[in-house]
Every structure is written in C-alpha cells, then in structure tokens.
Amino acid sequence: MKLVVLGAAGRMGRTLVKVISESEGASLHAALERGGSPALGSDAGLLAGIGELGVAVTGDIDAALDGAEGIVDFTAPAVSVDIARRAAGKGLVHVIGTTGFEADADAAIRAAAEAGATIVKSGNMSLGVNLLAVLVEQAARALGPDAFDIEVLEMHHKHKVDAPSGAALLLGEAAATGRGVALADHSVRVRDGITGPREAGTIGFATLRGGSVVGEHSVILAGEGERIELSHAAGDRTIFARGAIKAALWAKEKPAGLYSMRDVLGLSG
C-alpha cells in the first residue's frame, strides 16, 4: 500500500517512516512537510535514521498524493481537515492520529468521509489504549455515578500543545458512554479556588506536562472505602505508528466512511 506520511520530519513522522519501511504490505510513497521546512529535499529515510529510501521530503501536496493509496497524519487539526477533503476527492484512505479537534473540525472530517474518503480517526492509535477504553466503558456501566466518581489523569511531554490529550478524551468518552451520558455535559476540565464539593456524576480530567513522557493515562473510579485504577503507559512512539499502519492496511479494503481504532481492532460492539 503506497502511503504518504505528513509531517515526515517530526518525531511521529520519522517514526512512521521507520515503521512503514518495516511493515509488510506497506511502502513509503511520499513524505510531506510544511513549506519552508529545513527538511525539504532531504531523504526521508536518512531523517528517520534508517538509511536512504529514495523518497525526498516535499512540500508539494498534489505531487505527493498523485498515485498514493493512503495518508498517515499526526499533524494539526487545520492540516488534517484540508487533507481529509483532498482524500475525499481522490477516494484515498486517511488515517488521522491528530488530536485537539474542535466541533467544527470534527464535522468537516465527517463530511469528508461522507464525500468519499475512507477515514480512520482516533485520539490514540495504540492497541492498549483502545482496549483500556473498552474496559473503562464496562466499568463505568457497572459502577453507578452515585457510588463511584471518575477521574481521568494524563501526562505527556512538555512539547504537547493540546489538553486534555486525545487519549484522555477517548477514555472520558468511554466512561460517559458507559454511563449513558454526553461527556460535554458532564466533564470537569479545570478546578481552581473554592470549588465546593464534587458534583455527582461528573467526569474529571487532570493534565500533567513535563520532560519527555510519551504518554501515561489512568482512569480512577473512586468509591467509599475503595478505588479502582485502570492505566496505560506508553514507552515508545512506535506503538502509535504501528497502530496507524495497521489501520491504513485495514481501511484499504473498506468503503468510504468514518471509522475508529475500535473498528480496526474488532473491539466495536
């Protein structure tokens, strides 16, 4: 499968290039970077530390997508929306690991899927986090809001720009689904000053940033006299890249539409 990597000179981009080179059934078709990037013209394989691949980093989106079958994208919401629209026009697979989407950007992604793109979008591409989300949903369903409070705790490296993380929101959504409520109506993102007692049924988020932490997430279900913690720790970005390439290969055989990693991993329903 001929894949285009967006943000090929970044940390995730370089990891994706490496994983694609190691993945059966996938090949690097093009490596894209923003205009003005010092990486333009460099060999993507050399940037990734795996030797020459003969694929130069380019800023020409049209040329990169010509002849491609799929796009792997861990960039920014505005970029992902633009690429999704282009993917719809060409009937391409678009795997989106980008996080930090607002409601209008999410709507644009859904519209692109309806217009002809095969999109796999997830707040986290790892098998472990998506399995954790299933467990959180089951636990939230079993343990009612009157008896157990739910808090989502996450920590990432100091360069991460969005908060809460996509994975934290994925876990919060799972908890809300388990309780049959809308996360937007029950989430608490900030606590400061005299907040008063915790409101029953809310789902709290705590965000930590620092150092080089790849990603750590815990969902705490706190009851009277007992506490349950469901956790996942990522030690290497490779797990996200492997999940993204798995998603691309899976989506190649699927009709246009919007899918999640739960679909890819057979965890839906």
Side-chain angles (χ1 to χ4, degrees):
M1 186 178 185
K2 299 176 181 178
L3 296 174
V4 177
V5 171
L6 270 61
R11 284 170 296 182
M12 268 307 304
R14 295 194 303 270
T15 303
L16 286 164
V17 168
K18 182 177 185 295
V19 170
I20 289 171
S21 73
E22 300 168 346
S23 298
E24 184 177 351
S27 65
L28 182 66
H29 177 72
L32 265 171
E33 260 297 340
R34 68 190 185 282
S37 168
L40 294 178
S42 301
D43 186 279
L46 290 177
L47 286 175
I50 57 174
E52 287 191 24
L53 292 176
V55 179
V57 177
T58 180
D60 188 335
I61 297 176
D62 292 329
L65 297 186
D66 186 29
E69 295 175 284
I71 307 157
V72 189
D73 171 11
F74 287 74
T75 55
V79 175
S80 297
V81 167
D82 175 56
I83 295 297
R85 289 168 175 156
R86 293 171 185 266
K90 294 178 175 291
L92 299 178
V93 170
H94 185 190
V95 176
I96 304 175
T98 304
T99 57
F101 286 88
E102 299 291 344
D104 58 343
D106 270 327
I109 295 295
R110 288 193 296 272
E114 292 169 0
T118 304
I119 297 176
V120 180
K121 179 177 178 292
S122 179
N124 192 287
M125 290 287 168
S126 81
L127 169 61
V129 166
N130 283 278
L131 178 58
L132 177 61
V134 173
L135 298 175
V136 168
E137 182 177 329
Q138 293 174 341
R141 183 176 295 115
L143 305 173
D146 294 332
F148 282 83
D149 301 315
I150 298 178
E151 294 286 317
V152 182
L153 172 65
E154 58 107 339
M155 183 169 185
H156 284 82
H157 54 86
K158 61 186 176 184
H159 301 291
K160 188 166 180 60
V161 298
D162 58 307
S165 70
L169 293 172
L170 178 75
L171 296 170
E173 288 285 1
T177 298
R179 287 190 167 172
V181 299
L183 180 62
D185 298 331
H186 291 77
S187 68
V188 176
R189 307 288 182 86
V190 178
R191 295 189 180 103
D192 185 37
I194 307 301
T195 61
R198 190 185 196 282
E199 183 179 347
T202 54
I203 298 171
F205 290 84
T207 299
L208 307 179
R209 294 287 180 266
S212 59
V213 177
V214 175
E216 297 179 1
H217 297 85
S218 294
V219 178
I220 302 167
L221 297 103
E224 293 296 327
E226 59 181 332
R227 185 174 73 239
I228 300 164
E229 294 189 24
L230 302 170
S231 301
H232 178 272
D236 189 331
R237 286 182 180 81
T238 302
I239 65 172
F240 310 127
R242 286 199 299 263
I245 304 312
K246 180 181 181 71
L249 295 171
W250 176 88
K252 183 180 180 182
E253 308 301 327
K254 296 295 183 289
L258 181 59
Y259 302 92
S260 70
M261 279 302 287
R262 284 204 193 190
D263 297 316
V264 174
L265 300 170
L267 297 173
S268 296

